Amino acid sequence: MTHNLLILEGDGIGPEIVAEAMKVVDCLQSDYGFQAEIEHGLIGGAGVDGAGDPLPEATLDQAKQADAILLGAVGGVKWDSLERPMRPEQGLLRIRAGLDLFANLRPAILYPELVDASTLKPDVVSGLDIMIVRELTGGIYFGQPRGIRELENGEKEGFNTLVYRESEVDRITRVAVDVAKKRSSTLCSVDKANVLEVSELWRNKVTEICDEVGGINLSHMYVDNAAMQLIREPKQFDVIVTGNMFGDILSDAAAMLTGSIGMLPSASLNSDNKGMYEPIHGSAPDIAGKGIANPLATILSVAMMLRYSLNEGELADKIETSVRQVLADGARTADLGGSMTTSEMGNAVITVLKSN
Ligand code: IPM
Ligand code: MG
């Protein structure tokens, strides 16, 4: 079976890390019988520069046709002063919305070899394996009305709307429940129900779905406490389900538990398991073009793509095993305290993958 893949390099370190991930895809094709038709498209600042839009229509069309999408990263100072609709981040938000990729899975796994790369004490983080399920197409990121308006006294006021419908909470909860059932059936829903009505509704709906499905050990936690608990005793968590903005923040915090944000892949799925796969880190303008970014989050995103959208779980295992192996062999990019370049790290993974 031939898989149709769309590759969106994006901006900053995006092209560098995606190049390494594509070496992995090439290797799967040459050595493991993986068949793919590969297209490339523009998004983010590259879309603005190349086609006058952070999400050119052609890219969205390609994305709708594809079985899965691999994305590098978007954004950079060059485009920061453009009006909001032209900013690179809008391309990312629009492709998520345009494909209805409401379920964002962000695993935070500490590889044993990296226990000393974390800023937390080894006994706090060793063995860490958390899955954050972030709602991705609703909440304050998309709520209307939004804007900046001028008040009568001439003062300006910025405003956004945090809104969730029952149906949105329902579907993300069901995804989280499915994920939890494949693990320890423990789910922690994170909200701010002590202050926000939208969280009150969220909490009630999550409880209702879990009662209906049964067999889930559900707890609720306020987001401020969850942020603290993630740092204090992260291993108390297994699967976390939360809204768009809380999930954005908590997943960056969780990333640091694993030693480097350069290690974390993600999957963004719609209700048919069509997905877009991207590292959770950004375009890192400060190191872009230097060839020193860690490509492992992107390589691990390829593994998630194989597992969740392409039904190629064995190949996903091979990639993950190879990443583990190179880390065990001592391979380290700068973010992990080493000095390997982006392509040296990619090549190290390929060498192991070929011999597996
Ligand atoms: C992420 C990023 C994005 C987000 C930005 C780049 C729009 O931080 O994927 O976590 O906030 O969702
Ligand atoms: Mg983020």
Side-chain angles (χ1 to χ4, degrees):
M1 174 171 177
T2 303
H3 304 290
N4 295 312
L5 308 183
L6 176 63
I7 312 301
L8 304 173
E9 282 90 351
D11 312 316
I13 59 171
E16 300 163 47
I17 52 179
V18 169
E20 301 312 311
M22 292 314 289
K23 286 183 190 167
V24 171
V25 174
D26 290 346
C27 175
L28 297 181
Q29 289 184 282
S30 59
D31 291 37
Y32 292 104
F34 178 68
Q35 293 183 6
E37 289 271 356
I38 294 169
E39 287 192 27
H40 294 259
L42 297 174
I43 195 167
V48 173
D49 290 351
D53 188 342
L55 181 64
E57 218 177 294
T59 302
L60 186 58
D61 287 345
Q62 284 175 303
K64 285 182 176 159
Q65 300 302 320
D67 298 319
I69 302 145
L70 181 71
L71 176 98
V74 300
V77 277
K78 181 177 170 194
W79 305 280
D80 277 351
S81 53
L82 296 178
E83 46 170 343
R84 187 162 295 275
M86 289 297 276
R87 298 222 193 121
E89 291 76 11
Q90 292 300 313
L92 185 56
L93 297 177
R94 280 167 53 205
I95 196 169
R96 287 172 178 172
L99 299 174
D100 206 18
L101 305 173
F102 67 92
N104 185 211
L105 309 188
R106 298 191 157 189
I109 297 170
L110 179 75
Y111 290 86
E113 298 76 20
L114 293 183
V115 70
D116 292 317
S118 174
T119 49
L120 276 83
K121 294 198 185 85
D123 61 308
V124 175
V125 290
S126 69
L128 183 87
D129 182 351
I130 299 177
M131 178 70 92
I132 297 183
V133 180
R134 169 190 176 193
E135 199 290 327
L136 200 62
T137 53
I140 198 165
Y141 273 48
F142 293 93
Q144 294 290 347
R146 61 190 296 157
I148 298 175
R149 62 190 162 209
E150 198 168 306
L151 303 175
E152 275 174 14
N153 68 1
E155 189 185 7
K156 281 190 190 150
E157 175 179 79
F159 57 100
N160 289 88
T161 303
L162 174 51
V163 55
Y164 270 115
R165 295 183 183 189
E166 288 185 294
S167 54
E168 292 176 299
V169 185
D170 183 312
R171 65 182 186 172
I172 193 68
T173 304
R174 288 181 195 277
V175 170
V177 163
D178 281 350
V179 170
K181 289 224 159 178
K182 293 191 188 114
R183 299 167 58 110
S184 68
S185 292
T186 307
L187 180 63
C188 179
S189 171
V190 172
D191 63 35
K192 189 70 185 174
N194 51 345
V195 177
L196 304 173
E197 286 80 359
V198 59
S199 284
E200 189 185 319
L201 180 131
W202 175 283
R203 191 175 275 226
N204 290 339
K205 195 71 196 174
V206 171
T207 305
E208 183 191 315
I209 303 295
C210 289
D211 283 351
E212 178 201 311
V213 175
I216 292 289
N217 178 11
L218 173 69
S219 62
H220 301 277
M221 200 179 276
Y222 299 137
V223 63
D224 50 350
N225 186 27
M228 181 176 76
Q229 296 299 335
L230 263 180
I231 310 300
R232 194 182 77 86
E233 199 199 331
K235 283 184 274 182
Q236 71 185 278
F237 296 106
D238 186 12
V239 182
I240 292 175
V241 63
T242 190
N244 204 341
M245 187 160 72
F246 296 160
D248 178 45
I249 298 166
L250 294 180
S251 60
D252 268 31
M256 273 324 289
L257 305 173
T258 71
S260 167
I261 197 166
M263 290 299 301
L264 292 211
S266 77
S268 305
L269 306 173
N270 72 9
S271 46
D272 303 321
N273 281 343
K274 172 168 178 149
M276 184 164 80
Y277 298 81
E278 53 178 311
I280 81 152
H281 62 69
S283 57
D286 52 324
I287 58 166
K290 295 188 179 161
I292 58 170
N294 182 351
L296 293 180
T298 317
I299 289 172
L300 291 168
S301 295
V302 173
M304 286 192 92
M305 173 168 88
L306 291 161
R307 180 170 294 120
Y308 287 96
S309 286
L310 306 182
N311 202 16
E312 300 271 12
E314 278 178 28
L315 295 180
D317 290 344
K318 279 194 195 306
I319 294 175
E320 287 166 356
T321 310
S322 303
V323 167
R324 254 163 224 250
Q325 184 63 50
V326 299
L327 292 171
D329 293 346
R332 300 281 186 277
T333 39
D335 56 304
L336 299 172
S339 61
M340 272 175 111
T341 66
T342 308
S343 63
E344 282 167 355
M345 182 62 105
N347 293 343
V349 174
I350 299 300
T351 304
V352 175
L353 187 60
K354 281 193 179 288
S355 66
N356 267 341

